[in-house]
Amino acid sequence: MEILGYFASLLIGLSLGLIGGGGSILTVPVLVYLFGVNPMLATAYSLFIVGASSLFGAFPKYKQGLVNLKTAIIFGIPSIASVFATRKFIVPLIPNEVFVLGDFMVTKSILMMVLFAILMVAASISMIRGKCEQCEKEKDENFIDEVQVFNYPMILLEGAVVGILTGLVGAGGGFLIIPALVMLSKLSMKQAIGTSLLIIAAKSLIGFTGDLGHQIIDWKLLLTVTGLAIVGIFLGDIVSKKIDSNKLKVGFGWFVLIMGVFILVQQLAFPIQ
């Protein structure tokens, strides 16, 4: 299982490099089911792995001029603040035994995994449907930059919501960030993907610092998985130039949907405490 886990760690980065997102949605299941990490600790590890991988993935995008720093700062500030606050203050306040439904005890770990499974299903639907019409308003090679007009209230709200979700379940939220950047910040798809990687990197890594002091970190495992994910993101960036990433996104979406449903059923029938 551990060998399979290391292979899956490559896939986390490969997905980020190929389609600009989705890798983070694999991280928690890989850590929980293949490495045997406690679900709560897995969400903390996921923040570091996703953050470091996205940071390395954002670098080549920045060199290609596909990272809009102004947008990253405006969207990133509420997102970073909310993810840090969630990990530092909200998550530690959630009781180990949340509530009881009949004979079924809903623990903190079960609640987090169920929330994560729901997020996986939502992400998979977004991937399977493909790019929305608003997101396909241009062909990237023929795109002419529009004058940016920021919808500040919506950007602040979206950034805060994404930050809270990231803080709770340890996922980067690229499937929420990319459409928001296109529709609210008027970026092209390629710019939105590059900018989202920088936002995900900043909020995930800063969010991880909120767990320091609350969790005992296995740095050997964490750095090994992170290193493999970083290798995967560079491989994905190379391969993405040779194959149709849209078809890959749909296929990956179905895989994530199956995984999300499996985790939901497994947690409700045979929960990992």
Side-chain angles (χ1 to χ4, degrees), residues 23 25 40 52 54 64 103 121 151 176 205 229 251 272:
I25 217 75
M40 285 307 305
S54 298
Q64 296 166 31
D103 296 327
V121 171
N151 185 337
L176 291 171
L205 289 173
I272 293 175

Side-chain angles (χ1 to χ4, degrees), residues 25 94 108-122 164-165 168-169 171 263-264 267:
I25 217 75
I94 300 174
K108 187 175 185 177
S109 294
I110 293 172
L111 178 63
M112 291 300 157
M113 290 304 290
V114 168
L115 283 174
F116 193 85
I118 292 170
L119 188 65
M120 288 183 78
V121 171
I164 292 169
L165 283 174
L168 286 174
V169 302
I263 292 171
L264 194 58
Q267 283 297 311

Side-chain angles (χ1 to χ4, degrees), residues 14 35 53 63 79 126 130 138 143 187 204 219 238 251:
L14 193 66
F35 288 109
S53 302
K63 289 176 67 177
S79 188
S126 174
E138 85 292 323
F143 179 71
L187 297 184
S204 297
W219 286 103
I238 294 169

Side-chain angles (χ1 to χ4, degrees), residues 16-237:
L16 282 167
L18 280 172
I19 61 178
S24 63
I25 217 75
L26 289 177
T27 311
V28 169
V30 166
L31 292 168
V32 171
Y33 293 105
L34 300 182
F35 288 109
V37 178
N38 174 273
M40 285 307 305
L41 185 57
T43 62
Y45 284 10
S46 178
L47 288 174
F48 183 87
I49 294 164
V50 170
S53 302
S54 298
L55 185 61
F56 277 87
F59 182 68
K61 303 292 185 186
Y62 178 76
K63 289 176 67 177
Q64 296 166 31
L66 298 176
V67 174
N68 188 306
L69 292 177
K70 182 178 179 181
T71 301
I73 291 169
I74 292 172
F75 192 96
I77 287 173
S79 188
I80 290 168
S82 59
V83 72
F84 180 82
T86 300
R87 295 305 299 190
K88 186 72 175 178
F89 304 112
I90 297 175
V91 170
L93 289 176
I94 300 174
N96 288 327
E97 296 180 355
V98 183
F99 59 88
V100 179
L101 287 174
D103 296 327
F104 186 77
M105 170 66 71
V106 178
T107 66
K108 187 175 185 177
S109 294
I110 293 172
L111 178 63
M112 291 300 157
M113 290 304 290
V114 168
L115 283 174
F116 193 85
I118 292 170
L119 188 65
M120 288 183 78
V121 171
S124 70
I125 292 170
S126 174
M127 293 178 201
I128 291 167
R129 289 176 60 190
K131 298 176 184 176
C132 59
E133 288 184 10
Q134 295 98 317
C135 297
E136 289 193 299
K137 62 185 178 179
E138 85 292 323
K139 299 296 181 184
D140 286 304
E141 60 272 16
N142 297 321
F143 179 71
I144 299 174
D145 287 324
E146 296 181 23
V147 176
Q148 277 194 293
V149 179
F150 293 100
N151 185 337
Y152 288 103
M154 288 303 298
I155 288 174
L156 290 172
L157 178 62
E158 178 90 10
V161 169
V162 170
I164 292 169
L165 283 174
T166 297
L168 286 174
V169 302
F175 79 101
L176 291 171
I177 296 173
I178 292 172
L181 293 180
V182 171
M183 290 183 281
L184 301 179
S185 302
K186 309 301 182 186
L187 297 184
S188 70
M189 270 301 296
K190 284 187 177 180
Q191 277 189 315
I193 289 170
T195 305
S196 75
L197 286 173
L198 183 59
I199 294 169
I200 290 168
K203 70 186 178 67
S204 297
L205 289 173
I206 292 173
F208 173 75
T209 65
D211 279 281
L212 298 177
H214 295 301
Q215 307 276 11
I216 298 174
I217 308 296
D218 181 350
W219 286 103
K220 182 181 178 181
L221 172 63
L222 183 56
L223 293 176
T224 300
V225 174
T226 301
L228 289 169
I230 290 170
V231 171
I233 203 167
F234 282 109
L235 290 175
D237 188 57

